[in-house]
Amino acid sequence: WPYCRKRCSYCNFNKYVVPVVDEEAVATCLVREARTLLCLSQVQSVTSVFFGGGTPSLASPHTVAAVLEAVAGAAHLPTGAEVTLEANPSSTSTSPLAGFKAAGINRLSIGVQVRGAPPHPNLHSPPMPSAATPLTPPQSLDDAELQLLGREHTAAEARGAAALGFCDNHLSLYQLTLEQGTALAAQVWGGALPAPPQDLLADMYQTARAMLVAAGFRHYEVSNFARKGSLSTHNLSYWRGEQYIGVGPGAHGRFVPWGEGSHSREARVQTLEPDAWMREVQSRGHGTRRRVVLSLLEQLEELLALGLRTDEGVTPERWGHLSPHLSLEAVFGVPGEAKDLQEQGWLVLDSRGLRCSWEGLALLDSLLPGLLCQLQQH
């Protein structure tokens, strides 16, 4: 769902702010493209559905229900499959939420921009909340800062929608990225706004993960924390290298189009601009603008880069599915970068596969280039 009420100053997603949305036309095209691509993939079962954007909570529950009916009609959608809707705090009033639940949504992803205070002086012994303590970041949810970022919601609305005492079993903590072409990046790079020092960002990350783990959360991905089994099934499918189908303007997908007689996994991107995308869907059933057949090396590179983001890492089973004749041990168990990283305590390679240590997970971006280079040499 590519539409938003306004553009946040930091956002470079494929989103559009328009006076009026022809929702019936958009919904019809979403339904048709979903059916077309599911048929093309010939998948038998769908494990999760994620409505992202844009701001999909601005769509009506009827549109969500129509898409889910299309998915269930083209493939098996198990009862209880994870079905997520992204929402802004300002668009989560009770009435639409009841409609979304009736349409089939069973998980809500609410985005809130917060600012943390400088970390506790003793980083090795930060204040540890009990499992029942709400983990509200200090000095956060500030109306002036939300306005600076271009957010539509207020601090009070965010607290009402995202109170940790209520939905407290999954947290995604993403540090701000300054994206080229955004208003916020121009302000920072132009000197109008300060950027926090890297050391402070690193300290905040380390403090946050220590506090969350002490509160019973599993740090199961670089930026994601869950307890009571509330891991995101949908996002895990990306990190585990599974197939996924992208529906809607600018959506990305990775699947094998068996319906065309192909046996090769493809990277697909749908047309970005909504009106152009709709014209393509109306004329040929889908709006795929770019499709690239992924080589075996490219697939292994993606599996490595994404899998190492998780605490389970890259398992021998998933690696072997793509590379039955060249094991993880054969690539990363020999003298080289991976061996050096293991000796330094950043990386682990054993019968469970290849994964980062607790310390290494925070340094993944700096570890990956050497590992990818070692893979390419094989």
Side-chain angles (χ1 to χ4, degrees), residues 199-211:
D199 284 352
L200 175 59
L201 293 176
D203 289 345
M204 290 170 67
Y205 175 75
Q206 296 287 19
T207 301
R209 69 199 295 236
M211 291 177 70

Side-chain angles (χ1 to χ4, degrees), residues 180-257:
Q180 190 166 1
T182 63
L184 186 61
Q187 289 173 297
V188 172
W189 294 336
L193 289 174
Q198 290 297 315
D199 284 352
L200 175 59
L201 293 176
D203 289 345
M204 290 170 67
Y205 175 75
Q206 296 287 19
T207 301
R209 69 199 295 236
M211 291 177 70
L212 287 167
V213 168
F217 284 81
R218 172 182 163 190
H219 188 190
Y220 75 101
E221 193 269 346
V222 169
S223 298
N224 285 268
F225 304 80
R227 62 184 174 188
K228 300 180 184 176
S230 297
L231 288 71
S232 170
T233 299
H234 188 86
N235 287 338
L236 274 172
S237 69
Y238 296 142
W239 301 320
R240 289 170 172 170
E242 295 171 6
Q243 292 194 110
Y244 56 96
I245 293 170
V247 177
H252 286 236
R254 294 282 192 281
F255 66 92
V256 179

Side-chain angles (χ1 to χ4, degrees), residues 1-343:
W1 182 263
Y3 303 107
C4 286
R5 285 207 178 111
K6 66 182 297 187
R7 178 172 287 278
C8 300
S9 66
Y10 57 85
C11 180
N12 74 335
F13 286 2
N14 184 47
K15 58 166 57 174
Y16 300 84
V17 179
V18 296
V20 179
V21 174
D22 185 347
E23 183 166 350
E24 185 177 352
V26 176
T28 299
C29 288
L30 288 171
V31 164
R32 187 172 180 195
E33 184 168 75
R35 285 175 176 155
T36 300
L37 296 181
L38 282 165
C39 180
L40 191 61
S41 72
Q42 294 188 359
V43 297
Q44 301 300 306
S45 183
V46 173
T47 56
S48 63
V49 181
F50 192 103
F51 289 86
T55 310
S57 54
L58 295 177
S60 71
H62 176 76
T63 292
V64 169
V67 173
L68 290 174
E69 287 169 10
V71 172
H76 177 55
L77 183 61
T79 303
E82 183 183 280
V83 183
T84 307
L85 179 83
E86 283 186 341
N88 278 345
S90 57
S91 59
T92 55
S93 60
T94 306
S95 180
L97 288 184
F100 286 128
K101 182 177 181 181
I105 298 296
N106 55 30
R107 189 176 178 114
L108 206 61
S109 176
I110 301 176
V112 178
Q113 272 52 47
V114 300
R115 175 172 66 93
H120 192 267
N122 183 355
L123 289 179
H124 298 290
S125 304
M128 295 298 183
S130 69
T133 305
L135 300 174
T136 306
Q139 299 185 24
S140 66
L141 301 172
D142 181 275
D143 278 329
E145 291 181 352
L146 291 171
Q147 189 173 7
L148 174 70
L149 293 171
R151 295 297 288 181
E152 187 190 22
H153 65 85
T154 65
E157 287 174 321
R159 287 192 188 96
L164 280 172
F166 176 68
C167 45
D168 62 342
N169 293 325
H170 192 283
L171 283 171
S172 299
L173 299 180
Y174 294 105
Q175 289 186 342
L176 176 66
T177 301
L178 294 173
E179 301 283 3
Q180 190 166 1
T182 63
L184 186 61
Q187 289 173 297
V188 172
W189 294 336
L193 289 174
Q198 290 297 315
D199 284 352
L200 175 59
L201 293 176
D203 289 345
M204 290 170 67
Y205 175 75
Q206 296 287 19
T207 301
R209 69 199 295 236
M211 291 177 70
L212 287 167
V213 168
F217 284 81
R218 172 182 163 190
H219 188 190
Y220 75 101
E221 193 269 346
V222 169
S223 298
N224 285 268
F225 304 80
R227 62 184 174 188
K228 300 180 184 176
S230 297
L231 288 71
S232 170
T233 299
H234 188 86
N235 287 338
L236 274 172
S237 69
Y238 296 142
W239 301 320
R240 289 170 172 170
E242 295 171 6
Q243 292 194 110
Y244 56 96
I245 293 170
V247 177
H252 286 236
R254 294 282 192 281
F255 66 92
V256 179
W258 293 99
E260 291 181 341
S262 173
H263 295 218
S264 301
R265 183 174 168 118
E266 292 183 0
R268 288 180 167 240
V269 182
Q270 308 310 98
T271 292
L272 294 173
E273 202 280 319
D275 289 342
W277 168 79
M278 281 193 279
R279 287 193 295 270
E280 292 177 28
V281 174
Q282 289 161 355
S283 66
R284 58 191 176 100
H286 66 85
T288 302
R289 177 59 61 92
R290 183 170 179 264
R291 48 188 292 194
V292 177
V293 174
L294 296 172
S295 68
L296 175 59
L297 176 59
E298 288 170 326
Q299 293 180 62
L300 290 173
E301 287 173 337
E302 286 194 354
L303 184 65
L304 183 69
L306 294 171
L308 286 181
R309 293 185 62 87
T310 67
D311 63 348
E312 67 185 11
V314 181
T315 65
E317 293 76 21
R318 292 193 192 100
W319 182 271
H321 180 72
L322 288 177
S323 177
H325 304 301
L326 188 65
S327 67
L328 277 169
E329 182 68 34
V331 178
F332 301 108
V334 297
E337 181 72 16
K339 203 75 170 176
D340 294 342
L341 293 174
Q342 291 172 62
E343 291 172 357

